Amino acid sequence: MPHSSFPAEVRDAVTPRATLLIVGVIALQLLFIASYVGALHDPKPKDVPIGLVAPRAAADQALTRLERLPGTPLDPRALPDEATARTQLTHRDIDAALIIDPRGSTDTLLVASGGGRVLSTTLTTLVTTLEKSERRTIRTIDVIPSAPHDPNGLSSFYLVIGWCVGGYLGAAALAISAGAKPSDPTRAAIRLAVMALVALTGGLGGALITGPVLDALPGSTAALWGLGTLIIFAVGAATLALQGVFGTIGIGLVILLVVILGNPSAGGALPPPLLPPFWKAIGPALPPGAGTWSTRSIAYFDNNAMTTPLLVLTAWAVAGAAITMAAAALRRRANAPRTP
């Protein structure tokens, strides 16, 4: 029996399809490195919304001083009193508030580490340095502190990552078991129904683990369950849609959107004001970013400022389901036998 040449063995072992997939894997790997390192390697505050409470005589001077800091790290706005500052912190309109005491040399900085400890620490350091240059001291009050079992404020981020993983792996499992492209709308609808069940189960499991079981996140378990269900279904439906249009390559596209672009821009490891412009811009439009913001709102901010991120997640879910059904209908029409 004749032996095949080595080049022939290589061609047989590594088909053109496998070569393309390997090239795609290498590209995703390099994009992963570039995205994470690019987003997280050099955090600098940029236009962080901060309230300023001061008498009128001192307010204008203080606003000018904050606005003219090198690199524009702060976006200051005058507020009438401390109560307003606390309310805006709770509503997530600002990330900190500086209260100037004209009668003494000690001012007060209000922060909310529930929105990300890295940001509150960065702002404390920045304002402390600024106050020191003015021969003043600062007293920091954490108005909305992160939970004792969530000292760095990362539990919300990891919870959302887990929910996103459940979404795209659940959809990928359906593709592996019966082909990436559903053969007809009925199969597509069944897959979406299965994803809804996966979302309900995974959403409840994640809410229970981070809430009652580990006590890592405060807030309503029911609200977290609903949010988790929406996140999982949104990512799962988007995965089914991309698989329906592009086949197996669709899974790679989901990894690109959710993992490579979505995770570093989500505001988990670094809150949005510390991210470079590109990641800061795309984060709110992707499921990890919208999910992380919403999870923190439920846990720490009395469910405030959730309308936009919930609309984003709903758009992903609705568009994913619609494209999944449309792709299946077009596929059935294309495969239907033509009558002469």
Side-chain angles (χ1 to χ4, degrees), residues 10-315:
V10 171
R11 287 193 297 270
D12 185 58
V14 185
T15 63
R17 177 181 174 83
T19 301
L20 289 175
L21 290 175
I22 290 172
V23 170
V25 168
I26 293 173
L28 287 176
Q29 169 190 321
L30 297 179
L31 287 171
F32 183 97
I33 295 170
S35 183
Y36 277 70
V37 176
L40 307 177
H41 78 291
D42 188 23
K44 293 179 180 178
K46 180 69 173 178
D47 295 326
V48 182
I50 180 172
L52 177 66
V53 179
R56 182 174 297 273
D60 292 341
Q61 182 180 358
L63 278 172
T64 301
R65 186 170 74 249
L66 295 178
E67 289 172 345
R68 293 181 178 178
L69 288 175
T72 62
L74 302 178
D75 177 19
R77 64 278 313 264
L79 300 177
D81 49 45
E82 181 177 341
T84 302
R86 288 176 176 265
T87 298
Q88 291 203 8
L89 275 170
T90 302
H91 290 172
R92 309 194 76 176
D93 295 323
I94 57 176
D95 291 314
L98 177 61
I99 303 171
I100 295 178
D101 180 8
R103 296 169 297 180
S105 60
T106 299
D107 298 327
T108 302
L109 179 67
L110 306 180
V111 297
S113 63
R117 183 169 294 277
V118 176
L119 178 58
S120 62
T121 301
T122 300
L123 291 174
T124 300
T125 301
L126 176 65
V127 175
T128 299
T129 302
L130 178 63
E131 290 282 285
K132 187 176 181 180
S133 68
E134 299 290 326
R135 296 183 180 181
R136 300 181 66 83
T137 58
I138 196 75
R139 176 173 64 108
T140 302
I141 299 177
D142 197 346
V143 177
I144 306 173
S146 55
H149 296 158
D150 183 30
N152 295 315
L154 292 175
S155 295
S156 53
F157 175 51
Y158 293 134
L159 173 60
V160 171
I161 288 179
W163 280 333
C164 289
V165 168
Y168 64 74
L169 286 186
L174 291 171
I176 292 172
S177 65
K181 297 181 178 181
S183 57
D184 56 60
T186 301
R187 292 283 183 90
I190 291 173
R191 289 186 180 185
L192 288 169
V194 171
M195 277 309 311
L197 292 175
V198 170
L200 284 166
T201 305
L204 176 60
L208 290 175
I209 290 171
T210 55
V213 175
L214 298 179
D215 194 25
L217 285 178
S220 167
T221 299
L224 287 174
W225 179 14
L227 176 64
T229 300
L230 178 57
I231 291 172
I232 295 171
F233 185 78
V235 174
T239 305
L240 291 175
L242 291 172
Q243 288 173 174
V245 175
F246 299 104
T248 305
I249 296 175
I251 298 175
L253 295 176
V254 171
I255 293 174
L256 173 64
L257 290 171
V258 176
V259 179
I260 294 176
L261 294 176
N263 286 354
S265 66
L270 292 179
L274 297 179
L275 291 171
F278 172 74
W279 286 268
K280 182 180 179 180
I282 67 172
L286 298 174
T292 299
W293 179 276
S294 299
T295 302
R296 284 178 172 161
S297 289
I298 291 172
Y300 296 112
F301 296 93
D302 297 333
N303 300 326
N304 286 310
M306 289 183 60
T307 301
T308 298
L310 289 180
L311 287 175
V312 168
L313 292 169
T314 300

